[in-house]
Amino acid sequence: MTSIQEISRENISILAHLATQLWTDTHFDEMSEHFEEVLLAEHPTAFLLLQDQKPIGFIELSVRQDYVEGAEDMPVAYVEGIYVDNVFRKKGLAIQLIHKAEQWARSQGYTQLCSDSELANSGSIIFHQKAGFEEVGRIVCFVKNLN
């Protein structure tokens, strides 16, 4: 049985562990501190996905006030990250997280849910399309070091 829990003090360490699976260049302590901040923030939130009481995924949401590519109505709810353990993928569970995000966004008065993906992450792009997101642009980012 699948269930979804909103972020709480009790599940921060679980969220932090799962986040290190998504963002592999981060550390557990860093993500624990991050989710502590999310818990205390005014608008951002996260939801933990459980399958038979076992944590298998999460979605982190924020509110972006400034510019978001393609957004028509600012501020917007924004998917900062979504993750489902490999064993449980392609079973519609991530879509359940998106639906929860949509409910949360509507309850906060937002009219759009936005997200992004790396250009090379074809799996994420396909997922977003299946979840009902519309692609609004592609960018390549540049940095020039001046030292």
Side-chain angles (χ1 to χ4, degrees):
M1 179 166 170
T2 303
S3 62
I4 298 175
Q5 297 177 352
E6 190 162 10
I7 186 173
S8 68
R9 190 141 323 276
E10 292 76 31
N11 62 25
I12 283 178
S13 63
I14 296 167
L15 284 163
H17 171 72
L18 290 169
T20 63
Q21 304 302 303
L22 176 61
W23 296 300
T24 56
D25 60 338
T26 62
H27 300 284
F28 176 79
D29 292 341
E30 177 185 0
M31 294 314 304
S32 292
E33 186 176 307
H34 169 75
F35 282 112
E36 286 282 348
E37 292 171 5
V38 169
L39 184 61
L40 299 174
E42 184 178 350
H43 295 292
T45 194
F47 294 97
L48 178 63
L49 177 66
L50 301 145
Q51 179 71 39
D52 298 323
Q53 302 301 318
K54 177 185 176 189
I56 61 165
F58 77 97
I59 189 168
E60 180 184 349
L61 304 165
S62 71
V63 175
R64 293 208 178 170
Q65 307 278 346
D66 299 328
Y67 178 77
V68 172
E69 185 75 34
E72 299 168 355
D73 188 19
M74 298 300 293
V76 296
Y78 203 88
V79 178
E80 296 294 343
I82 184 169
Y83 172 81
V84 173
D85 184 272
N86 287 337
V87 175
F88 297 94
R89 291 187 185 165
K90 304 205 186 270
K91 298 180 179 183
L93 298 172
I95 296 290
Q96 288 182 29
L97 286 170
I98 292 294
H99 290 314
K100 187 69 173 177
E102 292 168 355
Q103 290 172 355
W104 175 83
R106 284 186 192 103
S107 76
Q108 301 298 309
Y110 303 113
T111 60
Q112 291 184 300
L113 178 64
C114 299
S115 186
D116 62 46
S117 175
E118 296 286 332
L119 287 172
N121 192 341
S122 59
S124 177
I125 293 168
I126 290 167
F127 165 75
H128 278 84
Q129 291 167 340
K130 285 183 178 178
F133 287 89
E134 177 184 334
E135 184 176 321
V136 295
R138 291 182 179 232
I139 62 170
V140 176
C141 301
F142 298 94
V143 171
K144 183 175 184 179
N145 290 325
L146 302 176
N147 43 345

